[in-house]
Amino acid sequence: MEKLVALCKRRGFIYPGSEIYGGLGGTWDYGPMGVELKKNIKDLWWREIVELRDDMVGIDAAIMMNPKAWEASGHVEAFTDPLVECKVCHLRFRSDKPDEIKQHIESHKGVKVDWTEPQQFNLLVKAYLGVLEGKQSELYLRGEITNGVHVNFKNIVNSMRVKIPFGVAQIGKAFRNEITPGNFVFRSREFEQMETQFYIKPDEAEGKKWFEYWKKNRIGWYLSLGLPKDKLRFHDHEPEKRAHYARMATDIEYLTPWGWDEMMGIHHRGDWDLSRHQQYSGKPMIYNDPETGDAFIPWDIETSAGIDRSLLFFLMDAYREEEKRIVLKLHPKLVPVKVAVFPLLANKPDLIIKAKEIYRNLKINIDGLVQWDDRGNIGKRYLAQDEVGTPYCVTVDFQTLEDDTVTIRDRDTTKQERIKVLGLLEYLQGKLS
Ligand code: ATP
């Protein structure tokens, strides 16, 4: 993990938040490479979940909501973690995380540790809105992005031609006053989620069917982007461990260096959210089935994934230390830089002109970032590109000027081959898709 954190800083993926002021616990800033990787994850998710499906629409709801929405959703009352304090050093931990408790006890090296009784600590982050001092209204930054979808259920049904079963997808930031942020971006206080709320008929068989469907669908997505089968598993929640809203719940877990841990959740939320919003707002959340004439509050099967966690696990899985290099073997669809173009030497105008022409053509036509690099020698440029996972490096050399061919170097094999400039774009597009 330490090596990955160092690489992320060195190569512009992730920096500690507010670093020059000594940081702000549990916040991280994504640098130029991190933002590309994150964007690719989000774009791939949106493409598959929204654009390629007929039964899903998107939304982008406000982060700040009327506080009543959080009372309705149960978050004001029940969005809590059990907090205990070490009476020796006054640090605070979650009593439901045995590994963290054990680690802390060990850090006292034999000194007996006493704990306070667990108390429920609410994770919602408060904010204040309004221009009159003393008359500002208190509200919450959203603790999960789900509610913005449910409160718009009727708007979506009335403005779009959707018919149950259908889903609503959303990507956005969430904020939690986490007791123990840690493990890099795994648990932070500001993070991003990508979620679907899939509305179905209130029927046990339908519920089971769609719950299983989304389990398979989501694990399949991570497999398709290169995470290995033996490092992914489902972890079903026992009834007493489920969140306040869940009828069925499972996590997709990834085998991290600290053991199996949650990457995302799939939850059967029943009619919890819509019923509660109906009750608290007084506005009906009834769906009128145009085919059967039935009127009902739909059930919801939710998929909720942390983007930062997904990104961290993609990075962890891709990180390799080889004899002479560190390389990120990221899936080509995820990589921050798709192709790098090098002139063999930086001080030969003929080479530069030709290389720039090739570079511009690739930059305009390749979907994603294409980078130019003419610093140092070719070997060093390869090493730098390996560390951000660039799958292909194109070098323009003196032979290019004679026969219009370039070398393409493959990140994984480190082999180079010569190919005609004429077919270069199609060749790379084929490899990257
Ligand atoms: P945990 O028990 O690990 O704190 P959770 O079960 O509370 O997580 P959910 O409320 O189900 O998490 O949130 C859905 C997803 O959002 C999680 O699977 C995770 O990917 C992401 N997530 C939740 N909290 C955080 C956080 N503090 N930092 C980064 N990602 C988070």
mmCIF file of all heavy atoms in Angstrom, residues 94 97 144 176 178 185-188 191 193 262-265 267 304-306 309, ligand 1:
data_model
loop_
_atom_site.group_PDB
_atom_site.id
_atom_site.type_symbol
_atom_site.label_atom_id
_atom_site.label_comp_id
_atom_site.label_asym_id
_atom_site.label_seq_id
_atom_site.Cartn_x
_atom_site.Cartn_y
_atom_site.Cartn_z
ATOM 1 N N ARG A 94 -14.200 2.334 15.560
ATOM 2 C CA ARG A 94 -15.506 1.701 15.384
ATOM 3 C C ARG A 94 -15.461 0.334 16.057
ATOM 4 O O ARG A 94 -14.615 -0.491 15.722
ATOM 5 C CB ARG A 94 -15.802 1.530 13.891
ATOM 6 C CG ARG A 94 -16.362 2.796 13.260
ATOM 7 C CD ARG A 94 -16.427 2.663 11.761
ATOM 8 N NE ARG A 94 -17.371 1.629 11.315
ATOM 9 C CZ ARG A 94 -17.704 1.438 10.048
ATOM 10 N NH1 ARG A 94 -17.196 2.199 9.114
ATOM 11 N NH2 ARG A 94 -18.555 0.483 9.703
ATOM 12 N N LYS A 97 -15.420 -2.960 13.955
ATOM 13 C CA LYS A 97 -14.282 -3.307 13.083
ATOM 14 C C LYS A 97 -13.216 -3.994 13.945
ATOM 15 O O LYS A 97 -12.283 -3.340 14.441
ATOM 16 C CB LYS A 97 -13.693 -2.041 12.429
ATOM 17 C CG LYS A 97 -14.660 -1.329 11.479
ATOM 18 C CD LYS A 97 -14.683 -1.982 10.116
ATOM 19 C CE LYS A 97 -15.796 -1.448 9.252
ATOM 20 N NZ LYS A 97 -16.060 -2.178 8.041
ATOM 21 N N GLU A 144 -25.244 9.698 1.308
ATOM 22 C CA GLU A 144 -25.252 8.779 0.169
ATOM 23 C C GLU A 144 -26.089 9.452 -0.909
ATOM 24 O O GLU A 144 -26.875 10.352 -0.601
ATOM 25 C CB GLU A 144 -25.822 7.409 0.556
ATOM 26 C CG GLU A 144 -27.248 7.460 1.075
ATOM 27 C CD GLU A 144 -27.840 6.070 1.321
ATOM 28 O OE1 GLU A 144 -27.111 5.139 1.658
ATOM 29 O OE2 GLU A 144 -29.060 5.934 1.160
ATOM 30 N N ARG A 176 -19.227 11.774 4.547
ATOM 31 C CA ARG A 176 -19.511 11.091 5.818
ATOM 32 C C ARG A 176 -18.464 11.464 6.840
ATOM 33 O O ARG A 176 -17.261 11.462 6.524
ATOM 34 C CB ARG A 176 -19.482 9.557 5.629
ATOM 35 C CG ARG A 176 -20.588 9.068 4.754
ATOM 36 C CD ARG A 176 -20.628 7.556 4.649
ATOM 37 N NE ARG A 176 -21.609 7.182 3.637
ATOM 38 C CZ ARG A 176 -21.901 5.943 3.274
ATOM 39 N NH1 ARG A 176 -21.285 4.929 3.864
ATOM 40 N NH2 ARG A 176 -22.796 5.712 2.342
ATOM 41 N N GLU A 178 -16.649 10.048 8.887
ATOM 42 C CA GLU A 178 -16.152 8.714 9.240
ATOM 43 C C GLU A 178 -15.323 8.780 10.513
ATOM 44 O O GLU A 178 -14.507 9.691 10.695
ATOM 45 C CB GLU A 178 -15.281 8.151 8.108
ATOM 46 C CG GLU A 178 -16.019 7.859 6.815
ATOM 47 C CD GLU A 178 -16.853 6.579 6.872
ATOM 48 O OE1 GLU A 178 -16.853 5.903 7.920
ATOM 49 O OE2 GLU A 178 -17.532 6.278 5.873
ATOM 50 N N VAL A 185 -7.635 5.928 -0.168
ATOM 51 C CA VAL A 185 -8.969 6.407 -0.534
ATOM 52 C C VAL A 185 -10.071 5.390 -0.222
ATOM 53 O O VAL A 185 -11.236 5.611 -0.556
ATOM 54 C CB VAL A 185 -9.046 6.818 -2.023
ATOM 55 C CG1 VAL A 185 -8.132 8.008 -2.274
ATOM 56 C CG2 VAL A 185 -8.704 5.652 -2.939
ATOM 57 N N PHE A 186 -9.701 4.284 0.415
ATOM 58 C CA PHE A 186 -10.722 3.257 0.712
ATOM 59 C C PHE A 186 -11.844 3.839 1.567
ATOM 60 O O PHE A 186 -13.023 3.629 1.295
ATOM 61 C CB PHE A 186 -10.088 2.067 1.431
ATOM 62 C CG PHE A 186 -11.093 1.024 1.815
ATOM 63 C CD1 PHE A 186 -11.571 0.132 0.868
ATOM 64 C CD2 PHE A 186 -11.608 0.952 3.106
ATOM 65 C CE1 PHE A 186 -12.534 -0.813 1.199
ATOM 66 C CE2 PHE A 186 -12.571 0.008 3.445
ATOM 67 C CZ PHE A 186 -13.025 -0.876 2.492
ATOM 68 N N ARG A 187 -11.459 4.516 2.648
ATOM 69 C CA ARG A 187 -12.493 5.149 3.463
ATOM 70 C C ARG A 187 -12.115 6.597 3.693
ATOM 71 O O ARG A 187 -11.196 6.911 4.432
ATOM 72 C CB ARG A 187 -12.680 4.422 4.781
ATOM 73 C CG ARG A 187 -13.793 5.051 5.604
ATOM 74 C CD ARG A 187 -14.226 4.267 6.829
ATOM 75 N NE ARG A 187 -14.903 3.032 6.469
ATOM 76 C CZ ARG A 187 -14.391 1.826 6.639
ATOM 77 N NH1 ARG A 187 -13.216 1.693 7.188
ATOM 78 N NH2 ARG A 187 -15.054 0.758 6.276
ATOM 79 N N SER A 188 -12.801 7.506 3.025
ATOM 80 C CA SER A 188 -12.503 8.924 3.187
ATOM 81 C C SER A 188 -13.783 9.651 3.606
ATOM 82 O O SER A 188 -14.850 9.046 3.691
ATOM 83 C CB SER A 188 -11.905 9.502 1.905
ATOM 84 O OG SER A 188 -12.535 8.964 0.782
ATOM 85 N N PHE A 191 -16.235 11.384 -0.831
ATOM 86 C CA PHE A 191 -15.968 10.353 -1.837
ATOM 87 C C PHE A 191 -17.066 10.387 -2.889
ATOM 88 O O PHE A 191 -18.019 11.159 -2.786
ATOM 89 C CB PHE A 191 -15.852 8.969 -1.189
ATOM 90 C CG PHE A 191 -17.062 8.581 -0.373
ATOM 91 C CD1 PHE A 191 -18.067 7.784 -0.907
ATOM 92 C CD2 PHE A 191 -17.207 9.026 0.929
ATOM 93 C CE1 PHE A 191 -19.188 7.441 -0.157
ATOM 94 C CE2 PHE A 191 -18.325 8.686 1.690
ATOM 95 C CZ PHE A 191 -19.313 7.900 1.146
ATOM 96 N N GLN A 193 -19.786 8.230 -5.457
ATOM 97 C CA GLN A 193 -20.520 6.976 -5.639
ATOM 98 C C GLN A 193 -21.133 6.908 -7.032
ATOM 99 O O GLN A 193 -21.403 7.933 -7.654
ATOM 100 C CB GLN A 193 -21.657 6.875 -4.612
ATOM 101 C CG GLN A 193 -21.167 6.783 -3.171
ATOM 102 C CD GLN A 193 -22.317 6.602 -2.193
ATOM 103 O OE1 GLN A 193 -23.267 7.355 -2.229
ATOM 104 N NE2 GLN A 193 -22.229 5.620 -1.316
ATOM 105 N N GLU A 262 -15.109 -4.491 1.490
ATOM 106 C CA GLU A 262 -16.232 -4.114 0.613
ATOM 107 C C GLU A 262 -15.826 -3.180 -0.527
ATOM 108 O O GLU A 262 -15.175 -2.168 -0.301
ATOM 109 C CB GLU A 262 -17.303 -3.437 1.482
ATOM 110 C CG GLU A 262 -18.440 -2.829 0.700
ATOM 111 C CD GLU A 262 -19.518 -2.236 1.611
ATOM 112 O OE1 GLU A 262 -19.579 -2.597 2.791
ATOM 113 O OE2 GLU A 262 -20.290 -1.400 1.102
ATOM 114 N N MET A 263 -16.252 -3.540 -1.721
ATOM 115 C CA MET A 263 -16.067 -2.634 -2.856
ATOM 116 C C MET A 263 -17.387 -1.931 -3.171
ATOM 117 O O MET A 263 -17.403 -0.746 -3.462
ATOM 118 C CB MET A 263 -15.580 -3.403 -4.081
ATOM 119 C CG MET A 263 -15.387 -2.541 -5.301
ATOM 120 S SD MET A 263 -14.256 -3.249 -6.467
ATOM 121 C CE MET A 263 -15.162 -4.651 -7.008
ATOM 122 N N MET A 264 -18.478 -2.705 -3.133
ATOM 123 C CA MET A 264 -19.789 -2.114 -3.425
ATOM 124 C C MET A 264 -20.890 -2.946 -2.786
ATOM 125 O O MET A 264 -20.648 -4.078 -2.373
ATOM 126 C CB MET A 264 -20.031 -2.020 -4.928
ATOM 127 C CG MET A 264 -20.195 -3.332 -5.637
ATOM 128 S SD MET A 264 -20.836 -3.126 -7.317
ATOM 129 C CE MET A 264 -22.483 -2.457 -7.026
ATOM 130 N N GLY A 265 -22.079 -2.394 -2.728
ATOM 131 C CA GLY A 265 -23.191 -3.135 -2.157
ATOM 132 C C GLY A 265 -24.352 -3.259 -3.135
ATOM 133 O O GLY A 265 -24.546 -2.406 -4.007
ATOM 134 N N HIS A 267 -28.445 -3.853 -2.709
ATOM 135 C CA HIS A 267 -29.430 -3.867 -1.616
ATOM 136 C C HIS A 267 -30.840 -3.951 -2.159
ATOM 137 O O HIS A 267 -31.187 -3.226 -3.086
ATOM 138 C CB HIS A 267 -29.308 -2.577 -0.790
ATOM 139 C CG HIS A 267 -27.910 -2.247 -0.367
ATOM 140 N ND1 HIS A 267 -27.274 -1.072 -0.692
ATOM 141 C CD2 HIS A 267 -27.016 -2.972 0.356
ATOM 142 C CE1 HIS A 267 -26.051 -1.074 -0.189
ATOM 143 N NE2 HIS A 267 -25.865 -2.212 0.438
ATOM 144 N N SER A 304 -24.839 0.068 -5.329
ATOM 145 C CA SER A 304 -24.155 1.260 -4.825
ATOM 146 C C SER A 304 -22.656 0.998 -4.760
ATOM 147 O O SER A 304 -22.195 0.199 -3.951
ATOM 148 C CB SER A 304 -24.688 1.597 -3.435
ATOM 149 O OG SER A 304 -23.951 2.662 -2.894
ATOM 150 N N ALA A 305 -21.926 1.660 -5.654
ATOM 151 C CA ALA A 305 -20.474 1.406 -5.729
ATOM 152 C C ALA A 305 -19.704 2.671 -5.415
ATOM 153 O O ALA A 305 -20.083 3.763 -5.841
ATOM 154 C CB ALA A 305 -20.103 0.915 -7.124
ATOM 155 N N GLY A 306 -18.630 2.531 -4.674
ATOM 156 C CA GLY A 306 -17.728 3.639 -4.433
ATOM 157 C C GLY A 306 -16.762 3.740 -5.600
ATOM 158 O O GLY A 306 -16.138 2.745 -5.992
ATOM 159 N N ARG A 309 -13.129 3.563 -4.203
ATOM 160 C CA ARG A 309 -12.741 2.194 -3.849
ATOM 161 C C ARG A 309 -12.494 1.349 -5.079
ATOM 162 O O ARG A 309 -11.543 0.576 -5.134
ATOM 163 C CB ARG A 309 -13.839 1.535 -3.018
ATOM 164 C CG ARG A 309 -13.640 1.789 -1.579
ATOM 165 C CD ARG A 309 -14.591 0.986 -0.729
ATOM 166 N NE ARG A 309 -14.766 1.722 0.510
ATOM 167 C CZ ARG A 309 -15.520 1.340 1.515
ATOM 168 N NH1 ARG A 309 -16.180 0.197 1.441
ATOM 169 N NH2 ARG A 309 -15.612 2.063 2.606
HETATM 170 P P1 ATP B 1 -18.206 0.679 5.120
HETATM 171 O O1 ATP B 1 -18.935 -0.299 6.052
HETATM 172 O O2 ATP B 1 -16.999 0.078 4.473
HETATM 173 O O3 ATP B 1 -17.947 1.993 5.750
HETATM 174 P P2 ATP B 1 -20.809 1.027 3.978
HETATM 175 O O4 ATP B 1 -21.336 -0.365 4.052
HETATM 176 O O5 ATP B 1 -21.235 2.020 4.989
HETATM 177 O O6 ATP B 1 -19.195 1.000 3.903
HETATM 178 P P3 ATP B 1 -22.523 1.887 1.862
HETATM 179 O O7 ATP B 1 -23.277 2.822 2.708
HETATM 180 O O8 ATP B 1 -23.182 0.600 1.456
HETATM 181 O O9 ATP B 1 -21.093 1.594 2.533
HETATM 182 O O10 ATP B 1 -22.009 2.682 0.582
HETATM 183 C C1 ATP B 1 -21.937 2.100 -0.711
HETATM 184 C C2 ATP B 1 -20.525 2.179 -1.267
HETATM 185 O O11 ATP B 1 -19.987 3.502 -1.163
HETATM 186 C C3 ATP B 1 -19.516 1.307 -0.504
HETATM 187 O O12 ATP B 1 -19.560 -0.016 -0.963
HETATM 188 C C4 ATP B 1 -18.212 1.968 -0.861
HETATM 189 O O13 ATP B 1 -17.745 1.559 -2.110
HETATM 190 C C5 ATP B 1 -18.592 3.430 -0.937
HETATM 191 N N1 ATP B 1 -18.241 4.090 0.323
HETATM 192 C C6 ATP B 1 -18.966 4.156 1.451
HETATM 193 N N2 ATP B 1 -18.328 4.863 2.389
HETATM 194 C C7 ATP B 1 -17.169 5.272 1.838
HETATM 195 C C8 ATP B 1 -16.072 6.066 2.295
HETATM 196 N N3 ATP B 1 -16.084 6.582 3.508
HETATM 197 N N4 ATP B 1 -15.036 6.294 1.463
HETATM 198 C C9 ATP B 1 -15.038 5.779 0.208
HETATM 199 N N5 ATP B 1 -16.038 5.035 -0.277
HETATM 200 C C10 ATP B 1 -17.098 4.779 0.509
#
